[in-house]
Amino acid sequence: MLSQGFVSAAAIAASVLFILSLGGLSNQEKAKRAVWYGIVGMGVAVFFTAFGPGIGGYWLMIPMIVIGAVIGARLAGKVEMTEMPQLVAALHSFVGLAAVFVAWSADLERRRVLAARAADGVMQEFSAFAALVATKAPDELTFLQIEVVLGIFIGAVTFTGSVIAFGKLAGKVDGKPRQFPGGHLLNAGAAVASLVLAVLYLSGAGFWTLLVLAALAFFIGYHLIMGIGGADMPVVVSMLNSYSGWAAAAIGFTLGNDLLIVTGALVGSSGAILSYIMCKAMNRNFVSVILGGFGTTRGPAAEIEGEQVAIDASGVASALNDADSVVIVPGYGMAVAQAQSAVSDLVRKLRAAGKEVRFAIHPVAGRLPGHMNVLLAEAKVPYDIVLEMDEINDDFASTDVVIVIGSNDIVNPAAQEDPNSPIAGMPVLKVWEAKQVFISKRGQGTGYSGIENPLFYKENSRMFYGDARESLNALLPLVD
């Protein structure tokens, strides 16, 4: 058993490692080292917490840690990069559910201590947490109850919200916004009822209040995320990441665990900041997005004129051979086709021919922030030619060829041209301003959000149909 001094020192060390990890993730070149900071920090946190003072039950704890580690390792080895967004959502749900269970357990221990006090009895088998509760004054127990309520409510919303986000990202739940009759009024009613239950609980009502509170919060999480369109899922995942952090912080206060408080606050605040940055990049109000205001129809969408004109690999190769500047816009379709290596090979060939080649990355490209950056880094694409939207958007007018690979909403001119479009006002990559645009796409269907794209019908656009990796591999031998 380790002393409290060792545990406190380890908590500080782990907190520093977590901060270094978050800071390093802002730079692609430092990201790998930053991940290791996080891994080591979590290892330190788990070890020193598990063997700290007042902790027991190792006969159950150690097997659970081993089983969890094995399952995590197997999942990490099997999950493709295309499945990473839904994996992240699933992991958020675990944090939320854990917060609910811990909060319930904390209240049961609180009641156990109070019952012993009322009977003037001495509890012979205190758990570590019950021993902590037994030292608290009545006003401190009230704060404990508030922490329990917050842990249950935030954790339950996070759990069901993350499950629905997982379903939408995995294609198991319809990506279109759907709500029960009554819409937001149901969410508001459930939130008011939750507040009433919290007041009853704090006034001395039974454990049943926490059970009903959790049920209402489960409903809010489910209904809230069901009402958000698929195009908003990157923001939703980031938001749920923030929720899971605040749930962990609330439980950290409940358990008197400083490290859990710090870790939860880091996750919660970083997730909230990322959600804000993404909403700002999409020209969306954060509250509006979370309440399902994006992804819904505002009126009749503008009719699209023209037809989609197909082109083969030789036609695309001819345009590339004549071009001096090329911009590639990757999207989720590139990840699905696992075409990043073929893209990298094309880039090397074009640059060897003296052509300027760059990538344009939209803030919500893919289904997870940074998704495209990770794929391109994996394929050894140089960091310095991968540019964010704000850095490259004004250059499309002077670009000879743009190749769009598996993107839809982020290159949709309806966002700027059609005020009734569900994505109206969202900043997009203005690829249509280039001299020629080639769109690599499996077929004529709409994208993930189900929104039609006028880009596909413009005179300077051609559809390069087929699997992205196969299409690019067919293109490569034809490029000089």
Side-chain angles (χ1 to χ4, degrees):
M1 191 72 67
L2 299 171
S3 69
Q4 185 59 47
F6 276 114
V7 175
S8 298
I12 295 172
S15 299
V16 171
L17 287 169
F18 291 147
I19 293 171
L20 291 173
S21 179
L22 281 174
L25 291 175
S26 62
N27 184 296
Q28 289 179 324
E29 296 179 355
K30 299 178 181 178
K32 187 173 182 179
R33 184 193 308 165
V35 170
W36 276 107
Y37 285 147
I39 292 171
V40 174
M42 185 55 66
V44 170
V46 171
F47 178 83
F48 282 89
T49 299
F51 293 96
I55 305 299
Y58 294 109
W59 61 272
L60 180 61
M61 182 192 303
I62 292 177
M64 290 298 99
I65 291 175
V66 172
I67 292 171
V70 170
I71 293 174
R74 288 184 60 84
L75 283 176
K78 293 173 60 177
V79 171
E80 301 288 345
M81 271 303 302
T82 52
E83 299 172 327
M84 197 59 65
Q86 49 262 46
L87 175 64
V88 171
L91 294 176
H92 292 162
S93 73
F94 295 159
V95 177
L97 191 59
V100 174
F101 284 147
V102 170
W104 278 342
S105 299
D107 186 68
L108 290 174
E109 290 289 71
R110 180 188 68 85
R111 293 176 185 277
R112 182 183 176 203
V113 169
L114 292 177
R117 284 180 179 176
D120 294 326
V122 178
M123 299 178 64
Q124 298 297 326
E125 296 183 359
F126 267 147
S127 67
F129 177 71
L132 176 66
V133 172
T135 65
K136 291 182 179 292
D139 57 338
E140 292 178 312
L141 288 178
T142 300
F143 278 107
L144 173 64
Q145 288 179 277
I146 294 174
E147 294 157 5
V148 165
V149 168
L150 290 175
I152 290 174
F153 185 81
I154 300 174
V157 170
T158 302
F159 172 68
T160 49
S162 298
V163 170
I164 297 302
F166 167 84
K168 289 195 173 191
L169 290 166
K172 300 180 184 298
V173 177
D174 191 348
K176 295 181 180 179
R178 299 185 183 279
Q179 290 183 326
F180 291 124
H184 300 312
L185 289 177
L186 284 176
N187 295 335
V192 171
S194 299
L195 181 60
V196 171
L197 286 165
V199 172
L200 289 174
Y201 166 69
L202 293 173
S203 300
F207 185 74
W208 64 270
T209 54
L210 297 183
L211 296 176
V212 180
L213 174 66
L216 289 172
F218 283 142
F219 169 77
I220 292 173
Y222 162 81
H223 198 234
L224 200 64
I225 306 305
M226 280 296 293
I228 299 176
D232 271 334
M233 280 304 111
V235 179
V236 169
V237 171
S238 177
M239 174 200 70
L240 291 170
N241 177 52
S242 179
Y243 286 2
S244 68
W246 298 127
I251 294 307
F253 279 108
T254 302
L255 300 177
N257 187 312
D258 294 338
L259 181 57
L260 192 54
I261 295 171
V262 172
T263 305
L266 285 172
V267 174
S269 57
S270 60
I273 292 170
L274 179 58
S275 299
Y276 171 77
I277 291 172
M278 293 175 67
C279 283
K280 187 176 180 180
M282 296 165 64
N283 194 29
R284 294 293 170 182
N285 180 277
F286 180 75
V287 175
S288 175
V289 171
I290 300 311
L291 294 180
F294 177 35
T296 56
T297 304
R298 306 179 183 196
E303 294 186 5
I304 300 176
E305 298 179 354
E307 61 178 353
Q308 297 184 17
V309 180
I311 192 171
D312 58 14
S314 61
V316 178
S318 177
L320 288 173
N321 290 333
D322 293 337
D324 292 320
S325 58
V326 178
V327 173
I328 300 174
V329 179
Y332 187 70
M334 184 186 77
V336 172
Q338 298 183 1
Q340 59 268 27
S341 295
V343 170
S344 182
D345 292 339
L346 177 63
V347 169
R348 280 193 288 270
K349 200 165 187 181
L350 291 173
R351 296 185 79 190
K355 303 179 189 299
E356 180 188 35
V357 184
R358 294 177 295 171
F359 286 82
I361 307 296
H362 193 278
V364 294
R367 297 184 186 174
L368 194 70
H371 199 174
M372 296 301 102
N373 302 74
V374 172
L375 288 175
L376 295 176
E378 181 183 62
K380 308 300 182 185
V381 171
Y383 298 137
D384 60 337
I385 66 171
V386 180
L387 305 178
E388 300 298 325
M389 178 177 65
D390 292 340
E391 299 175 293
I392 199 171
N393 222 9
D394 292 335
D395 296 348
F396 284 112
S398 59
T399 299
D400 294 324
V401 172
V402 171
I403 302 178
V404 178
I405 305 176
S407 294
N408 187 20
D409 300 319
I410 63 173
V411 293
N412 192 333
Q416 295 187 358
E417 300 171 357
D418 182 7
N420 289 328
S421 172
I423 60 172
M426 183 181 103
V428 292
L429 292 163
K430 297 181 287 187
V431 299
W432 58 89
E433 294 183 352
K435 295 177 182 178
Q436 297 181 85
V437 184
F438 301 109
I439 299 101
S440 176
K441 203 168 180 289
R442 287 181 178 272
Q444 294 187 357
T446 57
Y448 177 62
S449 65
I451 302 171
E452 193 66 69
N453 193 338
L455 170 69
F456 304 158
Y457 300 84
K458 289 188 176 292
E459 292 183 1
N460 62 336
S461 296
R462 294 293 182 267
M463 306 302 295
F464 190 25
Y465 290 123
D467 176 84
R469 182 170 60 178
E470 294 176 1
S471 297
L472 291 172
N473 285 333
L475 177 64
L476 279 169
L478 306 176
V479 176
D480 295 336

